[in-house]
Amino acid sequence: EAVANGILSSLYRENSRSRRAVSNHEEAAKSCPMTYPLIFDPQTAGGLLFFVSPDVCEDFVQKLTDDPMTKLAAVIGELTEYSPAVSEFDVCEIDGSCTPTANRIYV
C-alpha cells in the first residue's frame, strides 16, 4: 500500500543503486512495480535474504518452512554469471566505490 502511494524508505534511493546487481532489473521493475522496490527497502518486515548453494537450497527452504516461527520461505532468484557486454555497470556501494564482478542476481 505504501509503495502504491509513493511512500518509500528514507534509504530507498541509496539502496536502489544496487539494482545494477540485478541482471533483469528493467523486466522485474515492469512486471512487479509494487513489490520489486521492496527488495531495496531495509525495513521490509525484517525479512532476510540468503544466498544458498543450489545443492542444498531445496532442503534449506524446507527446513525454514517447517519452522513454526517462519512466516514465508521461498526461492526468489539465482546468482548467475553474465557477459560484461550486457551491462556497462559494476556493483556500486552507497559510499560510491565500485567493484567489477561477473555475477548478477536474476529475480
Side-chain angles (χ1 to χ4, degrees):
E1 185 178 322
V3 173
N5 290 314
I7 301 169
L8 299 166
S9 162
S10 61
L11 293 175
Y12 173 80
R13 185 173 176 193
E14 289 84 4
N15 289 350
S16 68
R17 292 179 187 168
S18 299
R19 70 187 179 279
R20 295 178 183 140
V22 179
S23 65
N24 63 325
H25 165 69
E26 289 181 25
E27 174 192 339
K30 288 177 185 175
S31 64
C32 305
M34 295 313 201
T35 56
Y36 182 69
L38 297 176
I39 291 175
F40 307 107
D41 186 342
Q43 303 172 77
T44 307
L48 295 174
L49 179 65
F50 292 95
F51 285 85
V52 180
S53 176
D55 60 321
V56 297
C57 187
E58 193 173 314
D59 289 339
F60 183 79
V61 171
Q62 187 60 53
K63 286 181 190 253
L64 286 174
T65 304
D66 291 344
D67 188 309
M69 297 299 289
T70 302
K71 293 184 180 181
L72 177 67
V75 175
I76 62 165
E78 63 181 287
L79 188 62
T80 60
E81 201 166 322
Y82 82 107
S83 167
V86 172
S87 175
E88 63 188 67
F89 300 111
D90 296 328
V91 174
C92 296
E93 304 295 332
I94 291 174
D95 67 3
S97 64
C98 295
T99 307
T101 180
N103 294 316
R104 292 289 188 267
I105 300 168
Y106 184 87
V107 294

